[in-house]
Amino acid sequence: MVWINTNISVKAADAAPNRWDVVALPLVIGLLALLAIGGHQMALPLDSVEEVPITLDPWMLPEYALRSTLRMLAAMAASLLFTFTYATLAAKSRRAGMLLIPVLDVLQSVPVLGYISFTVVFFLGLFPGSVLGAECAAIFAIFTSQAWNMAFSFYQSLRTVPRDLDEAATGFGFSGWQRFWTLEAPYAAPGLVWNMMMSMSGGWFFVVASEAITVGDRSITLPGIGSYLAKAIDGQRLDAVGWAVLAMLLVIIAYDQLLFRPLVAWADKFRVELTGAQEVPDSWLLALFQRTRFFRAAFAPLDRLFGRLVWLRLPAGGLSGHATGGIRSVGGLLDRVPSRAVDMVWYLLLAGAGLWAGWSMIAFVASAVGWSDVGTVLLLGGATLLRVVGLIAVATLVWVPLGVLIGLRPRLAERVQPAAQFLAAFPANLLFPVAVVAIVRFDLNPDVWLSPLMILGTQWYILFNVIAGATAFPGDLKEAAANFHIRGWQWWRDVMLPGVFPYYVTGAVTASGGSWNASIVAEAVNWGDTQLTAHGLGSYIAQATAAGDYPRIVLGIVVMSLFVILFNRLLWRPLYAFAERRLRLA
């Protein structure tokens, strides 16, 4: 199992274009043209955005779709860079992991609105007078909805690399750098690709918030499907909402065919198994470029260069060691000295940083909030916690069996993949008016019937991760189970559930954190002049945000972060440890 293909020596005659190059050429030129147009629009003066207001003309949707898609792809690139650095450091260094994983829990729980509130001024100051500043703020907001899920997935994969493969890499004398690119990154690739898919779809949920930026008394609305959708909702234009949903569907189909389906087919070769799979995913685009001559010749130098980089024997300070047992850190800086004194100093530094941050927030919040408010917020947090636990349990019972069914059948997965991406990308806030009308019409309790809105956009993390786990499940183990006639509940208990459990935990962690985040928009909804509010921490933060009450916003976010961290520490982290210890492939 290696990260790259065998290098291909390309002769001059082999570089002559064939008919497949003729077919691929318009795709490449079109892609480059769209990137150039979108990049040019992002560099215009900031005043140009205000001079051309958002219009609900459907003919403007192709341009808006291009702008939103480029923002999401830029955020995806940043998320990949974050994943390969942050998650690797957390998985390979015990001391770094003690800090980075709780921080990741906090980052996952902080609402996207919280990031926008504190980062817009920075990015606008970084690129004064340019649309690029507002674009960077929107990209960063979308990044915060994508990166945490991908980081958790990569972290889980690095922690569960099969022991025999790790021992083989050690036996071949691979350096840390070589081990990472030839073993660990390929092993993580199938799960990471499916989580990229989920993160891309999940980003649509926050596109509406990220494309409408407010700084003081000035509002900046970036052209995009999110801003188009927000204007349609504000104007109660159901026809415009329908056009926006149709545009989203077409965009999702396009990037599924042009990006994710080729990635799924490519990543399938990194599955850990001793026998070839009977069914494998395929991609017409990947097959097209594999048959070209000119484009393969053009990319051959990059392939050879990457191959040389992968097989460099970097010094011991590089990526090193497996993620369990005697962990050797990235850079060898944090775990090189396994001394109790060093551990004690590290713990004291972490405790000191935590106390300083806690005291700073307490001082800020105490300026406007009393102890009675703190007690109220804790009770509201408990109400939201009950909703999250119940919804995750229901989503688990529904999506784990379906995810296994889809993941074990590549042909079915290919058909379901675009539909699942669309459902995951479908902005849940479009269903809020339906919920408001139904609750008012039938006089239902908002505390109960607003709860499902929290899981609408986050349940898909469980489905996509379970599909990834079932897809990566070794074919030889499936054949062994069939040969031993293991069926029914025994098959689920002894074969499949243990196989997908590490992936499920990753999906459940991100779905749980996402549900807390979604509670801010799901516990306080409106349609026109009708407003409904459920008792919970999300509605508290939403009301404080609408009032511009920053001490209460900070109090709500801090309490939400504490609930998420405690929930993860007491439930999900022990399950992670169980998966690493008992459910790894030998």
Side-chain angles (χ1 to χ4, degrees), residues 27 31 34 251-263 283-286 288-289:
L27 292 175
L31 177 61
L34 291 176
V251 169
I252 290 169
I253 292 175
Y255 68 62
D256 173 70
Q257 294 293 317
L258 301 177
L259 178 63
F260 288 119
R261 185 156 295 185
L263 283 177
S283 164
W284 64 267
L285 184 68
L286 184 62
L288 170 65
F289 278 93

Side-chain angles (χ1 to χ4, degrees), residues 116 120 124 133-135 137-138 208-215 218-222:
I116 294 177
V120 168
L124 290 179
E135 292 284 358
V208 175
S210 66
E211 291 180 349
I213 298 172
T214 302
V215 183
R218 186 179 186 183
S219 295
I220 302 170
T221 303
L222 295 172

Side-chain angles (χ1 to χ4, degrees), residues 285-332:
L285 184 68
L286 184 62
L288 170 65
F289 278 93
Q290 287 174 339
R291 293 171 181 170
T292 61
R293 290 179 183 170
F294 174 78
F295 286 108
R296 292 183 68 188
F299 286 103
L302 293 177
D303 183 55
R304 289 194 294 269
L305 175 61
F306 190 70
R308 292 192 182 98
L309 290 176
V310 165
W311 290 106
L312 286 177
R313 294 194 62 85
L314 296 183
L319 292 166
S320 61
H322 192 268
T324 59
I327 303 173
R328 290 162 285 173
S329 72
V330 177

Side-chain angles (χ1 to χ4, degrees), residues 376-417:
T376 300
V377 172
L378 290 173
L379 290 176
L380 293 175
T384 301
L385 174 64
L386 291 177
R387 293 190 181 101
V388 170
V389 172
L391 293 170
I392 293 297
V394 172
T396 298
L397 294 176
V398 172
W399 293 120
V400 168
L402 288 177
V404 170
L405 175 69
I406 295 170
L408 292 181
R409 295 165 175 80
R411 295 287 179 255
L412 177 61
E414 288 179 5
R415 292 192 291 270
V416 171
Q417 190 173 310

Side-chain angles (χ1 to χ4, degrees), residues 472-495:
F473 193 80
D476 48 330
L477 294 186
K478 290 186 289 187
E479 293 174 6
N483 291 335
F484 282 105
H485 303 289
I486 300 176
R487 300 186 181 90
W489 170 242
Q490 184 184 12
W491 181 82
W492 284 98
R493 184 192 63 197
D494 298 336
V495 180

Side-chain angles (χ1 to χ4, degrees), residues 230-251:
K231 187 169 184 177
I233 292 174
D234 290 340
Q236 296 183 323
R237 287 279 305 275
L238 294 179
D239 59 326
V241 170
W243 283 114
V245 172
L246 177 61
M248 283 178 51
L249 175 60
L250 295 177
V251 169

Side-chain angles (χ1 to χ4, degrees), residues 47-70:
D47 294 336
S48 64
V49 175
E50 299 172 343
E51 293 171 359
V52 184
I54 300 298
T55 173
L56 295 182
D57 181 3
W59 292 104
M60 293 300 296
L61 276 171
E63 178 184 342
Y64 294 163
L66 173 63
R67 298 287 293 273
S68 292
T69 303
L70 289 179

Side-chain angles (χ1 to χ4, degrees), residues 303-378:
D303 183 55
R304 289 194 294 269
L305 175 61
F306 190 70
R308 292 192 182 98
L309 290 176
V310 165
W311 290 106
L312 286 177
R313 294 194 62 85
L314 296 183
L319 292 166
S320 61
H322 192 268
T324 59
I327 303 173
R328 290 162 285 173
S329 72
V330 177
L333 297 177
L334 294 175
D335 293 339
R336 183 173 295 171
V337 183
S339 153
R340 288 189 178 182
V342 174
D343 282 341
M344 186 60 65
V345 171
W346 181 245
Y347 298 153
L348 290 175
L349 287 174
L350 294 181
L355 289 174
W356 176 81
W359 178 255
S360 300
M361 287 185 289
I362 290 173
F364 177 73
V365 171
S367 61
V369 174
W371 285 108
S372 60
D373 293 299
V374 175
T376 300
V377 172
L378 290 173

